[in-house]
């Protein structure tokens, strides 16, 4: 993501703490990403926008051979290093730029949790993911649900403008987009859609935040897709 949209400094620290055990990241989005990841034992995984390493940590517990994590925020990468230790190789890199340091067809799985909507150079990023995935490899992507953005920000459902959402003492910036745009970009790259889910919070979220737990079971907040590189 662009330097101005990465979570730096205090915002990065707030997000690293928040994502550890909150209703949305920890108990709605992350379980869906892990379920769609399937059997990851012995796989080489690319974690794009790895943040503080929460998803990478869970993947390592499931037996992946190696995780390569990329994020634009040194603040979040510092938290990821503390969480993962020697379990992952981490790179600070702007996802708006090509992944030139990664070899062709060198990964079995790529994951991108709640990152895609932050990116402007999405066509370039998808082409790079296609390049570094082996044939038959998989991509997992989660994003904000288009109807959730429409309900919150108003205007046209088909808008694809940049919006800001409060986070801690600041705001996060991302691009909302309709479903046809989100899926169209992914499928237009050549990926095949294997599964789409609108995740609801797990029971653990009820203990953390019963209001947000109930909300995820009434209205769609996130969208998660499982894609395959033919």
């Amino acid at each position: 993501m662009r330097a101005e949209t990465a979570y730096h400094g205090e915002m990065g620290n707030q997000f690293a703490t928040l994502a550890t055990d909150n209703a949305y990241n920890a108990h709605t989005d992350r379980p869906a990403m892990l379920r769609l990841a399937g059997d990851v034992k012995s796989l080489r995984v690319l974690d794009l926008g790895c943040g503080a390493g929460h998803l990478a940590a869970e993947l390592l517990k499931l037996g992946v051979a190696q995780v390569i994590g990329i994020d634009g925020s040194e603040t979040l990468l510092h938290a990821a290093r503390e969480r993962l230790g020697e379990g992952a190789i981490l790179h600070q890199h702007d996802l708006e730029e090509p992944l030139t340091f990664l070899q062709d067809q060198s990964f079995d799985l790529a994951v991108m949790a709640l990152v895609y909507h932050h990116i402007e150079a999405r066509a370039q990023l998808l082409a790079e993911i296609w390049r570094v995935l082996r044939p038959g490899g998989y991509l997992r992507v989660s994003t904000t649900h288009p109807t959730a953005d429409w309900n919150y920000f108003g205007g046209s459902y088909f808008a694809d403008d940049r919006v800001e959402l409060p986070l801690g003492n600041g705001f996060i910036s991302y691009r909302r987009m309709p479903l046809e745009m989100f899926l169209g970009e992914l499928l237009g790259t050549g990926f095949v859609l294997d599964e789409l889910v609108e995740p609801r919070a797990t029971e653990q979220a009820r203990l953390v935040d019963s209001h947000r737990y109930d909300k995820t079971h009434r209205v769609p907040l996130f969208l998660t897709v499982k894609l395959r590189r033919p």
Side-chain angles (χ1 to χ4, degrees):
M1 62 184 68
R2 297 181 304 181
E4 63 267 29
T5 60
Y7 301 166
H8 300 290
E10 183 56 31
M11 180 176 288
N13 290 327
Q14 290 177 6
F15 179 76
T17 300
L18 183 70
T20 299
D21 191 35
N22 68 347
Y24 290 161
N25 296 89
H27 302 301
T28 304
D29 176 67
R30 202 176 304 144
M33 288 289 286
L34 291 168
R35 184 179 74 78
L36 289 189
D39 183 3
V40 297
K41 190 174 182 180
S42 301
L43 299 186
R44 192 165 190 258
V45 179
L46 176 62
D47 187 353
L48 296 151
C50 64
H54 295 95
L55 181 59
E58 295 301 319
L59 289 168
L60 287 167
K61 289 178 184 177
L62 294 175
V64 302
Q66 186 179 50
V67 175
I68 307 296
I70 300 174
D71 203 276
S73 167
E74 178 55 38
T75 303
L76 288 176
L77 287 175
H78 176 74
R81 291 186 191 100
E82 290 189 337
R83 176 166 285 103
L84 302 171
E86 301 298 318
I89 299 172
L90 302 175
H91 297 273
Q92 185 175 7
H93 180 76
D94 186 348
L95 291 178
E96 301 287 355
E97 301 297 329
L99 306 173
T100 53
F101 53 95
L102 299 178
Q103 295 182 349
D104 294 358
Q105 300 183 14
S106 56
F107 291 93
D108 304 295
L109 170 66
V111 295
M112 190 162 30
L114 299 179
V115 173
Y116 188 75
H117 48 287
H118 289 284
I119 306 299
E120 288 298 311
R122 294 185 303 280
Q124 174 182 267
L125 179 58
L126 289 173
E128 285 290 86
I129 294 170
W130 180 278
R131 177 182 66 80
V132 302
L133 277 178
R134 64 169 179 80
Y138 286 94
L139 169 64
R140 307 290 184 270
V141 182
S142 64
T143 189
T144 59
H145 200 290
T147 58
D149 287 334
W150 182 34
N151 287 333
Y152 186 86
F153 295 106
S156 170
Y157 166 82
F158 297 101
D160 62 350
D161 52 340
R162 282 199 84 83
V163 293
E164 290 188 337
L165 196 67
L167 175 67
N169 297 324
F171 293 87
I172 60 173
S173 170
Y174 66 92
R175 183 170 295 279
R176 61 172 174 168
M177 61 187 76
L179 180 61
E180 67 178 12
M181 182 176 177
F182 172 67
L183 283 180
E185 292 177 356
L186 294 164
L187 301 181
T189 304
F191 289 104
V192 175
L193 178 63
D194 279 356
E195 190 173 354
L196 181 152
V197 298
E198 296 166 311
R200 275 77 101 187
T202 64
E203 281 298 312
Q204 183 64 28
R206 194 197 294 271
L207 304 176
V208 174
D209 190 327
S210 61
H211 172 72
R212 287 191 167 97
Y213 169 87
D214 291 338
K215 188 174 182 179
T216 69
H217 287 261
R218 288 185 290 104
V219 296
L221 296 179
F222 303 106
L223 190 64
T224 311
V225 291
K226 174 183 178 181
L227 303 139
R228 175 171 38 87
R229 182 199 192 281

